[in-house]
Amino acid sequence: MNYSNENEFLKDYDPEQYSPVAVTVDCVVFGITKVSSENYRKLDKQSLNVLLVKRKDYPCKGQYALPGGFVGQDETLEEAAVKVLKHKTGLDDIFLEQLYTFGDVNRDPRMRVISCAYVSLVNTENVSISDAEWFTVEEAAELPLAFDHNKIVQEAVMRLRGKISYTDIVFYMMPEKFTVSSLQEVYEIILGKKLIPAAFRRTIADKLEETDEFEKSAGHRPSRLYRKKLNSKDT
Amino acid sequence: MNYSNENEFLKDYDPEQYSPVAVTVDCVVFGITKVSSENYRKLDKQSLNVLLVKRKDYPCKGQYALPGGFVGQDETLEEAAVKVLKHKTGLDDIFLEQLYTFGDVNRDPRMRVISCAYVSLVNTENVSISDAEWFTVEEAAELPLAFDHNKIVQEAVMRLRGKISYTDIVFYMMPEKFTVSSLQEVYEIILGKKLIPAAFRRTIADKLEETDEFEKSAGHRPSRLYRKKLNSKDT
């Protein structure tokens, strides 16, 4: 067909003529929680956790999955992610960033579904979660998650690992006030390696400001609490 | 409906029941080219360029656009990007990385089209381009590109700017042998700021190895040519 202008072309255009494709969003929500240590002389250990929901319907009924859903005609990808988080986990107004789009041909048994994944970071002390459960990243890796969600979680961990070194996003997961050693532990969990305390303190110093408060913990000298410096860059 | 198993559910599942959505890939190909300087005493200046194609059909007929196309049922996003590059620009076997997925509701006049953008970096001396043209990034920003492609190019420039500091991807755009000052100029173009030569040499030193060759250029002391050190990390 030869069209003389774009409107004529569009009048003739039939979106139904192509094989159907669907687009979803899947949300990887990370948070730090404390796990009680068996050794009473140690403080509670922290762990990196991911939020999962148990699927109530087919496909993959009964399996754990990332909170996700189809992208509606009239919403952007980010709007879809915000809606999914609110409906499936109760989370609202949290840090959200696009991670990667997953398009393996057979990743969904229903039809061709391309999924745009988002990463959120939350401070677990400040949020209440409904219909969703925290799993440590290690526990999640052991579970057979629905679709390609194991792969998505793995990619998200890699991205987080890459970004905490050159951005300030780690603070989205921290309580308002924290000790330097607790912050170091969070870096160590995410990076998967031990850091040297003196070197860590030096690197992080200009992002932190002292408070007048101290952490009370039995059997230890109280540690000073810090907060993120306000003028420190946001990401 | 209550299904007793997943197969029963899938037999009933009708992908056509939902409003149609399409997924495309769009490719931002960057390369460094030399632009002749008007000042004869200076060497040719380098510039950061992006590859554009003139659209032959509606919509946006006659406008410049990123090389792009619909994602087929049986290809991954990356396979679609490779195919689009080959068909629309003649480029094959080049560095390719997913950038971001663009999902504004009205970004395409035909229907809801969500586009997954890829970034490629090429050494312009090694590739031959068909049906596509190089524009400097500044020229492209002045053009009214099709769809939201101005925004996609802008995002790609930001990503490149972010990544050249902590990866080695810049070398995908360099000839095999180059002077340190030519490499510095490429960094400066991408970062949009001047760098101090001594500091740059120090930062880059462990990524480079000397060759025995020198660049011959009239009116200048010959400069030694370097190449990327082979054991330097790839990205």
Side-chain angles (χ1 to χ4, degrees):
Chain A
M1 269 295 269
N2 265 321
Y3 298 102
S4 62
N5 64 57
E6 180 150 327
N7 282 339
E8 219 177 82
F9 159 82
L10 290 173
K11 228 182 293 169
D12 237 29
Y13 190 87
D14 174 19
E16 311 269 359
Q17 72 190 304
Y18 302 103
S19 303
V21 170
V23 178
T24 54
V25 286
D26 285 305
C27 301
V28 187
V29 184
F30 286 126
I32 303 291
T33 57
K34 284 188 179 151
V35 186
S36 281
S37 165
E38 282 165 37
N39 182 337
Y40 75 99
R41 297 182 62 171
K42 283 195 167 175
L43 293 168
D44 289 343
K45 285 200 66 160
Q46 300 178 103
S47 68
L48 178 64
N49 294 263
V50 60
L51 204 53
L52 301 176
V53 292
K54 199 169 207 163
R55 288 186 58 84
K56 293 177 184 136
D57 298 302
Y58 292 112
C60 307
K61 189 173 170 175
Q63 272 181 273
Y64 279 99
L66 296 169
F70 288 96
V71 177
Q73 283 283 322
D74 300 315
E75 57 188 1
T76 64
L77 298 167
E78 186 162 326
E79 283 164 1
V82 167
K83 186 190 68 184
V84 156
L85 281 174
K86 199 163 178 177
H87 288 189
K88 296 212 168 172
T89 71
L91 288 169
D92 201 5
D93 195 23
I94 59 173
F95 171 79
L96 191 76
E97 181 180 83
Q98 198 185 102
L99 169 68
Y100 195 81
T101 298
F102 295 81
D104 280 357
V105 172
N106 295 310
R107 52 179 300 288
D108 191 305
R110 287 168 290 193
M111 61 185 292
R112 180 71 192 276
V113 179
I114 289 165
S115 186
C116 184
Y118 279 80
V119 172
S120 283
L121 305 177
V122 299
N123 168 9
T124 55
E125 292 179 14
N126 274 357
V127 295
S128 64
I129 304 293
S130 54
D131 295 325
E133 298 166 50
W134 289 112
F135 287 79
T136 69
V137 163
E138 294 74 23
E139 286 166 348
E142 298 285 312
L143 289 172
L145 301 184
F147 313 110
D148 54 356
H149 290 189
N150 285 100
K151 185 175 160 186
I152 297 179
V153 172
Q154 208 181 332
E155 280 291 328
V157 171
M158 297 299 286
R159 171 75 62 95
L160 181 60
R161 188 170 293 168
K163 285 196 86 166
I164 63 158
S165 303
Y166 65 92
T167 69
D168 285 357
I169 55 172
V170 71
F171 295 106
Y172 290 109
M173 294 190 285
M174 299 302 292
E176 197 208 332
K177 295 164 194 172
F178 47 82
T179 64
V180 174
S181 56
S182 146
L183 182 62
Q184 178 177 337
E185 196 182 89
V186 171
Y187 270 88
E188 289 176 340
I189 289 163
I190 294 169
L191 295 173
K193 62 178 182 194
K194 287 281 168 197
L195 301 171
I196 299 158
F200 179 75
R201 276 181 186 267
R202 214 163 33 240
T203 319
I204 209 77
D206 64 343
K207 293 181 178 179
L208 301 183
E209 69 185 19
E210 283 186 8
T211 72
D212 296 331
E213 295 169 54
F214 291 81
E215 189 184 65
K216 308 122 199 131
S217 66
H220 279 276
R221 193 159 64 91
S223 306
R224 188 184 288 276
L225 293 172
Y226 289 78
R227 65 158 74 87
K228 184 186 169 223
K229 206 183 270 179
L230 271 183
N231 62 358
S232 181
K233 271 184 305 171
D234 218 26
T235 46
Chain B
M1 270 294 270
N2 266 322
Y3 298 101
S4 62
N5 64 56
E6 181 150 326
N7 283 338
E8 218 177 83
F9 159 82
L10 290 174
K11 227 183 291 171
D12 237 27
Y13 190 86
D14 174 19
E16 311 269 358
Q17 72 191 304
Y18 302 104
S19 302
V21 170
V23 177
T24 55
V25 286
D26 285 304
C27 301
V28 187
V29 184
F30 286 126
I32 303 291
T33 57
K34 285 188 178 151
V35 185
S36 280
S37 166
E38 282 166 35
N39 182 337
Y40 76 98
R41 298 183 61 172
K42 283 197 167 174
L43 293 167
D44 289 343
K45 285 200 66 159
Q46 300 179 102
S47 68
L48 178 64
N49 293 262
V50 60
L51 205 54
L52 301 176
V53 292
K54 199 170 206 163
R55 287 185 60 84
K56 293 177 184 138
D57 298 303
Y58 292 112
C60 308
K61 189 172 171 176
Q63 272 180 274
Y64 280 98
L66 295 168
F70 287 95
V71 177
Q73 283 284 320
D74 300 317
E75 57 188 2
T76 64
L77 298 168
E78 187 163 325
E79 283 163 1
V82 167
K83 185 189 70 182
V84 156
L85 280 174
K86 200 164 179 178
H87 289 189
K88 296 212 168 172
T89 70
L91 287 170
D92 201 5
D93 195 22
I94 59 173
F95 171 79
L96 191 75
E97 181 180 84
Q98 199 185 101
L99 169 69
Y100 195 81
T101 298
F102 295 82
D104 279 358
V105 173
N106 295 309
R107 51 179 300 287
D108 191 305
R110 287 168 291 195
M111 62 186 291
R112 180 71 191 276
V113 179
I114 289 165
S115 186
C116 184
Y118 279 80
V119 172
S120 283
L121 305 177
V122 299
N123 167 9
T124 54
E125 292 177 16
N126 273 357
V127 295
S128 64
I129 304 293
S130 53
D131 296 326
E133 299 166 50
W134 289 112
F135 287 79
T136 69
V137 164
E138 294 75 22
E139 286 166 348
E142 298 284 313
L143 289 172
L145 301 184
F147 312 111
D148 55 356
H149 290 189
N150 285 98
K151 184 175 159 187
I152 297 178
V153 172
Q154 209 180 333
E155 280 292 328
V157 171
M158 297 298 287
R159 172 75 63 94
L160 182 60
R161 189 170 293 168
K163 285 196 87 166
I164 63 159
S165 303
Y166 65 93
T167 69
D168 284 356
I169 55 171
V170 71
F171 295 106
Y172 289 109
M173 293 191 284
M174 299 302 292
E176 197 207 333
K177 296 166 192 170
F178 47 82
T179 63
V180 174
S181 56
S182 145
L183 182 63
Q184 179 177 336
E185 196 181 88
V186 170
Y187 269 89
E188 290 177 339
I189 290 163
I190 293 168
L191 295 173
K193 63 179 181 193
K194 287 282 169 196
L195 302 172
I196 298 157
F200 179 74
R201 277 183 186 265
R202 213 165 33 241
T203 319
I204 210 77
D206 64 342
K207 294 182 178 178
L208 302 183
E209 68 185 17
E210 282 187 9
T211 72
D212 295 332
E213 295 169 54
F214 291 81
E215 188 184 66
K216 307 122 200 135
S217 65
H220 279 276
R221 193 159 64 89
S223 306
R224 188 183 287 276
L225 293 172
Y226 289 78
R227 64 160 72 88
K228 184 185 170 225
K229 205 183 271 180
L230 271 183
N231 61 358
S232 180
K233 271 184 307 172
D234 217 27
T235 48

